[in-house]
Each structure stands twice: as C-alpha cells, then as structure tokens.
Amino acid sequence: MIELRDYQQNALDIIKKALKIKNNCLIVQPCAAGKTVEFVAVVDWLIKNNRTCLILLDRKNLIKQTYDRINSYLGIDDKTEIICSTLSKKKDFNKQIIVASRQTLCPLLEKGFKIKINLLIIDEAHFINEKEGQYKKIIDSLRIVHPDIRILGCTATPYRMKTGYIYGENKTFNAVDYKTTTQELIDKNWLCPLKWKVRQSDLNSYLDKVKISSNGELNEKEQAEILEKSKYIKAVYDIYCDYYTNRKTAIFALTIKHAQLIADIFKSNGVNAFVIHSKLKDNDIDTAIKNFSDTPNSVIINVGILTIGSDIPSITGIILARRTRSTALFFQIVGRGARLHEGKTDCLITDMCGNWSIHGNDPDNPIVIIEPNKEPKLKLCPKCEALNNMNAKICVDCGFEFPSLEKDKVKINKPEVETKKKPEIIDLDGKISKKNKIINIESDRIAFKKHIAIGKATPCLKIEFYKGFKYLGHCFVFPEHTGSKKLAQKTKKTWFDLGGFGEPPKTVDDWIKKRIDLLYRCWLTIDKAGEYPEIIKIYRWQ
C-alpha cells in the first residue's frame, strides 16, 4: 500500500485534476521531497484506468530505483519494462508502464520505433530544451503517434540558465500547477535545515574575470587554471579544518584533476577522501559511495556525479569548491544535504566561490541568471562567516550583534588623504610615479587565517580585508617568528592598529581565538599597483 505524506497527496490530487483538462502539468518540489513515491501513485492511478505511461529519466540509478519502487509497491512486474541499454537488453514497447533513459530511447525513436503513450512523466524537467536536444526529439516523436499525449514534469529547479523559467507561453508547461517549498518541508520535519557560511578570498575576484562560454557557463579551462592553484586547493582543506572535522562532507569540484588535487591534500593530512567522476565504472562509483557512507569523518569529492539523483542521507556538510552560473545546478548541489538521517540536525554549506552572490541562498526564492537587476538581500557575519538576512540584527550562528552602520562611521578615524583624491607618490628620482595606484577605502570585514608557507615550518597569520563581499587585500603577521625584531614590531603594530590592547598573542592560534576582541571595521590605504594589493596602512577606531 502506498502511504503518501500530506503534500504528496495534494500533488497527486492536482495532477489528476490538471491532466483531465489540459495536456501538461508541472510539479515543483525540493530535492529529497520523495518524487519517486508520487510517480508510483500516478502509475497506480493509470493502471486502474487502463492507461499507458512512459517515465523518462536521466540517470541509470534513478531508472533502476523507480522501476524497483513501482514493482515493490504495486506488484506489476508483468506490466512494466526498462528501456535502458546499460540495465537491460530487452525492449518491449508493448508494456503498459515503461521506465526509460533518454539516452537509450531517443536513438530508438529516431530509427522508427513507435510508442503510443497516454502519459509521459519527465523527471528533472528543467533538462528540457524547447529548441533542441533529446527531450525535444522524444516529445515530438511521441506527439506524432499520439497528438493528445499528456506530459507531467517534476523538478526542484524550474529554470534554465539561458532561457529562464521552463513554463509560460510557447513552453512545454504553461504554468506551475503545484509547488511545495523547502521551508514548508523543513518546518514539517521532512527535510533537514540548511546552514550557510561564505569563505571570502581573492579567489572570487579572479573567478569574476573568467570568460563565459557559449553554453552560458564559465569557461572550464580558465576556471580550472585558477581553482587548481595550490593555495586554493589548500583553502578547501582549511575550510574542512574550520567547520567539518565532525561532519560527513561532500565536496563539489570542477574537473577530475581538480578533484584529485583536493583528495591528495586530504589524504596527506590523514583524512579519508574518496573521489568519484564520470570516467569511473559504475561499480567503482558505488563502492566509493558505500565506503564514504561507512567511514566516519570522511569526505567525498565528486565531479558531476552527486548533482542529480544521488541518495546519501548521511551527508551533513557541503563545500562548493567551484563556481557555476547555473541556478538549477547550484540548488541541485545544495539539495544533496537536505535528506533526513539518524542523528542529523542540519547540513552546513560553505561556498568559497561566490555562487550565493549569483543565485542567492534560498531555494524557494532563487535569483535566476536572466534577472540581472536582482541581488541577494544578504550580509555576512564578520565574526563567523555565516550568511544572514540583510535586516538581521543578530547573527543566526554566533549571536554577533550587527551595529548601525551610520553609528559606526562616526567612530572611525578617516585617513589623512581624501578617499576620492589620488595622492602623489614620489619615486626615488623625485618624479611622480604613474605606476602606483593608491586608494583609501573602508573595510567592513576582516578574516584571520593560519598560513604556512611552502618549505616553512613556522606558521604565520594571514589577515584579509573586505568591503561588503569584495576582497580588498591582505597582510601577514608573524607572532611565532621570535628571531626577528622587525617582524615582532610589525606584529605588535598590526595588533594595535586593529584595536588590540596590551601585548599581542604569542601564537597564530591565539590570534584567531582573540579575533572577537579586535575590530571588524577599519580604514585602509592600499597600493594596487602590483600583482597583489599591498596594505600600506591600517587606521584604527578612535
């Protein structure tokens, strides 16, 4: 017997009503809402009314899962068939219920195979391209045989990167017929709450300059060249050390090489890391996922495998180590952490590549890429990196109290040089240098990070400055380098400039622990003439 949750029963009722009066129906529900169970309920309804059905899916694991679930609930093995070359060589198009992959079905229809179907169910309906592609070819072929065919689409993300929403005039679906929101399911304890942090660095400024390819995505080669740099590979591991050592973590990488580089740094530090990508055999992917699920405090680094149809409820952490311009892909990634699991209270998502600033962080109210004037109304906690609503007075994560911006500006000593006036910088020969680019700017967030230079044993502290979500520059201090008087003086001066009192901490870890006592807003003089911005002076509060 099929037991439907209240929202699933509502969806079934809407589907029945819609398909009786029009030829399409679109259901929008979050990842992990249980769409497979709804498919089973729809099939049960069709079987009882002697109707035929084709369920079109994109991934082999989803085809097997859906086929098994239908037969398990309804016991209709003799009426169902799989059309998927990697799962079955049989191709009986006369069965009442067909579960098929688009990759196998499309070439068969192009060769002249004909199927008369009453209802076509398309999972992940946002894959439909109205102008070209396998989905269009399949729909066109089915309509030739049966012009009145009904189409039911299901998706968590009803939009495409280049064309926007998948419903409306001249689209396969004319409207969203039923929608269940992520927040509704969290409130009813059907989904796990999502927590957000943002790791800002100069990485985002470099990614902003990557060219956009003809498909609307960032140029993969250019993005990979940036992400594969050693400091950004290490940044992934640093995020893990900061927040994820007690979480089952999925890391989303850009390329196979990128994923392997990330895995290498985790393994070299004694962390179990599993890598999955499209070049691996299915059995190897399944084994890696099982080992990840069975191994405490492990990470799984994937390239395009976990974005759709994966079912790993134990995931309690997600690190986005790549950028995408696809709103659908972004929220499909986020949805991997939404499933419930024993002992799981939330899923922590850390975005290190600025995806949230493109798409927002609310699956129910996304910023679709074709809406250029819409911006996320969010702000970042200067103490714990948590994302907060723009109107929040208290940080949702650490309780930091956001002060009034106008009130704060009164407390700051502005630099001697006017912000809008470019100061003259004199070269050694007495001439004004045109190479220097000096700016004075207010920083409203400061991040403290432990840094160990290549080939060095003693750590130093990297201090990064931001204005809003824009990276301004960084400087280093050296509390553990005891042999240099010059470095000691710089460390002490920086401590004082940032609002510290008394002697500065003696270790990098103590600096990071005591950052709560330091400023999070200051004024900076920055020289931007070189490859990296140089912090010349920090102006402290009064």
Side-chain angles (χ1 to χ4, degrees), residues 157-169:
T157 50
Y159 29 77
R160 290 179 61 82
M161 183 163 53
K162 296 183 76 172
T163 56
Y165 293 100
I166 64 172
Y167 54 89
E169 189 176 355

Side-chain angles (χ1 to χ4, degrees), residues 278-303:
S278 59
K279 299 297 183 182
L280 293 177
K281 295 180 179 179
D282 291 339
N283 289 340
D284 293 334
I285 293 175
D286 293 342
T287 299
I289 291 175
K290 184 180 185 306
N291 289 339
F292 165 70
S293 299
D294 295 341
T295 307
N297 302 331
S298 56
V299 301
I300 189 164
I301 304 127
N302 86 101
V303 183

